[in-house]
Amino acid sequence: MTTPRFTRIESSMLPLLREDIDTDQIIPASYLKTTERTGLGQGLFARWREDPAFVLHQPAYQGAGVLLAGRNFGCGSSREHAVWALADHGFRAVISTAFADIFQSNAGKNGLLTITVAPDIHGRLAEAVDADPAARVGIDLETTTLTLPDGDTTNFPVDPFVRTCLLEGVDPLGYLLQRLPDIEAWEQDHPARLDTRQPHDGSFGEPTS
Amino acid sequence: MSNGNGKDPMNREATETASGSRTLFDKIWQAHTVESTATDADAGGTASTLSLLGIDLHLVHEVTSPQAFAELDRRGLRVRRPDRTLATMDHSTPTRPEVDRARLRIIDAEAEAQLARLERHCAEHDVPLIPLGDPRQGIVHVMGPELGLTQPGMTIVCGDSHTSTHGAFGALAFGIGTSEVGHVLATQCLLQRRPKTLEVAIRGGLPTGVTAKDLILATIAQIGVAGGTGSVIEYTGQAIRDLDMEGRMSVCNMSIEAGARAGLISPDEKTFQYLEGRPYAPRDAAWPEAVATWRALATDPGAAFDRRVEVDARDLEPMITWGTHPGMALPITATVPRREELSPDQLGAAEKAWAYMDLEPGQKLIGQSVDVVFIGSCTNARLSDLEAAARVLEGKHVAAGLTMLVVPGSQQVKREAEARGLDTIFRAAGAEWREAGCSMCLGMNGDRLAPGQLAVSTTNRNFEGRQGPGSRTMLASPLTAAATAVAGRISDPREVL
Ligand code: SF4
């Protein structure tokens, strides 16, 4: 996996304004038997896609790189497959008024930007895409600016660590590996009380009954 | 503090502060902070610090780990602390006793491949594995506590959102994504934003027939499915103290259903009693020493939380969900919400839920006919849950036309239940008695509802299609589920106790 990067995009939006869209909807469990992180776009919103009228099928929204979603997007399971599915389908960013914690954390590690906006901005975006499915937004991570279809701009919050990683291609695991001396020192001071390989009753490896 | 080479994206700064009254969360967080940044902001713009957090225990399962191991292999890295890592198989495992691995290869090659993959990764990286067929195997969040792996004051992570369960022991336990699983495998630490603290203070005790599950469903209904976002919840109050460890696990388990990062309960004598003598619990001279350390972890009197909400337990009733997320829960005697009972911002979701669940606004919940009752999952498949269900079912029979599945949370739970004759009660009542695993909680292993079927489940998620495409789920306690199974319709367990 190469370190994902993100600087600036301009794109139309796909509106999916339901609230509390959970990860079981984003990618149902039947797609979790894969041992790969690619190809999950096929399972994106799989159950809703069975409906031919579902917004993802509508020609007007083809090619949209930004998902405009309702509040509390990505709640439920920790499955990173949800982010992989969205990214595999071609989404680069999700805009909502609030995200679930684990989803947001997973997104940042895969170059999928989660943009939290105030309800009034969200409302304006929803109106714009309703009036014209081709309405485009601009997202600039360098300046953390969101440009609305009418040209107005607003700043969005972003985790500074995630921003640096995405802009400069810093690899979070590589960063952690650099910190190993500090981690080792901490571990010296905080010895573990247990060893998972050696239960105190000596039962590991030999069935207890 | 040493600085890495080049630009430091973490903007680290020494910010050690420790004084005065502290919460359990504060104590664990501080003790596990290797280093932290100056306050900046999280992804939602809330002021917070980023910390490098040492991880004591990393639990691994077959579904969320293959890509993480693959990433280590790609980079030529080893699992750094196999002694702090333990893997098991639970999500895609069969629960029909007749399905062995050879049979699984034929009926579900993908699931078999996932299990084989975990075995290979564990063997290559010296990670201890509790495989299918092992007498200790079970749902990861049932297995950890019963083996005594889960201990107060620890940091515990797993690529699974219901890791919050382990917080019942006063351990800071939270779910992570697969990238982070890789981070922990490779380094045994994680970069985490410091969450806010939320005290959920329960007033009074639980009435008869009202269980831990009803308490947590009522809490989520009150604070909302995003009510805990960005926070770690600590549950306090008499009702929490009164719960046994299994009930506390059911409460902490569903913290994630309120959006919280984790749930916590300050450890007390019940916690220590539960742990004593378990395979991984400290022994001999190490035991009193450990207990003394654990005793000091409880939230200090007067310690401040960022937020506090009160939930009144005294007039709670058995709860059941009517909609498509766990916050859409009601007292069992209530009726499906009517349009005029909802606020404008609830209406859109309610419209979808009425349609999906095929329920009428204003309709009574009691009496609604049900196709399947499922007793299982990391929320409610421990011994006391099975005992509660068996108490209702004893000498009775599951209603004609209704299917009931009982799936113990672990092989150990299964053995203990069988030693008490619970399996005989379930079988005599016409229920199926299975091997341990996640089973119909997420329907990944073939145990699932048919499209349109309505189930009362002791699980934690009633999302659309969670228990199979087109499936409809109502969440409830084991008592309510068992009473419903006997009647074939949603029933108030207080009438049969
Ligand atoms: S029982 Fe259900 S909620 Fe618990 S770990 Fe398994 S799938 Fe997840």
Side-chain angles (χ1 to χ4, degrees), chain B residues 90-91 139-141 160 162 253 377-378 438 441-442 460 466:
Chain B
D90 53 4
H91 282 64
I139 304 172
V140 63
H141 313 306
D160 195 285
H162 291 100
N253 173 273
S377 91
C378 57
C438 295
C441 174
L442 87 166
N460 43 49
R466 166 83 175 177

Side-chain angles (χ1 to χ4, degrees), chain B residues 12 55 126-127 135 182 186 254 273-274 386 391 393 451 468:
Chain B
R12 285 168 300 139
I55 301 302
D126 300 321
V127 169
M254 290 191 71
Q273 257 165 37
Y274 177 99
L386 303 189
R391 198 160 79 229
L393 282 168

Side-chain angles (χ1 to χ4, degrees), chain B residues 55 57 59 149-151 154-158 163 166 171-174:
Chain B
I55 301 302
L57 178 66
L59 300 169
L149 283 160
T150 304
Q151 296 175 14
M154 282 182 148
T155 47
I156 302 177
V157 296
C158 174
T163 309
H166 307 261
L172 178 62
F174 52 92

Side-chain angles (χ1 to χ4, degrees), chain A residues 31-120:
Chain A
Y31 291 87
L32 308 186
K33 286 178 189 162
T34 178
T35 51
E36 306 298 323
R37 59 206 302 166
T38 50
L40 281 151
Q42 293 169 29
L44 179 67
F45 300 120
R47 304 284 169 254
W48 293 347
R49 270 165 104 160
E50 289 165 11
D51 175 1
F54 183 54
V55 62
L56 210 65
H57 300 305
Q58 294 175 22
Y61 302 107
Q62 293 312 305
V66 174
L67 180 68
L68 181 66
R71 185 179 63 192
N72 196 29
F73 185 79
C75 61
S77 134
S78 65
R79 59 187 75 163
E80 200 158 313
H81 309 67
V83 171
W84 299 333
L86 287 161
D88 194 50
H89 184 82
F91 287 113
R92 303 292 316 279
V94 186
I95 302 178
S96 175
T97 51
F99 292 92
D101 291 331
I102 310 178
F103 176 84
Q104 182 147 269
S105 161
N106 288 341
K109 294 179 180 66
N110 291 276
L112 180 75
L113 208 59
T114 51
I115 299 182
T116 309
V117 294
D120 63 314

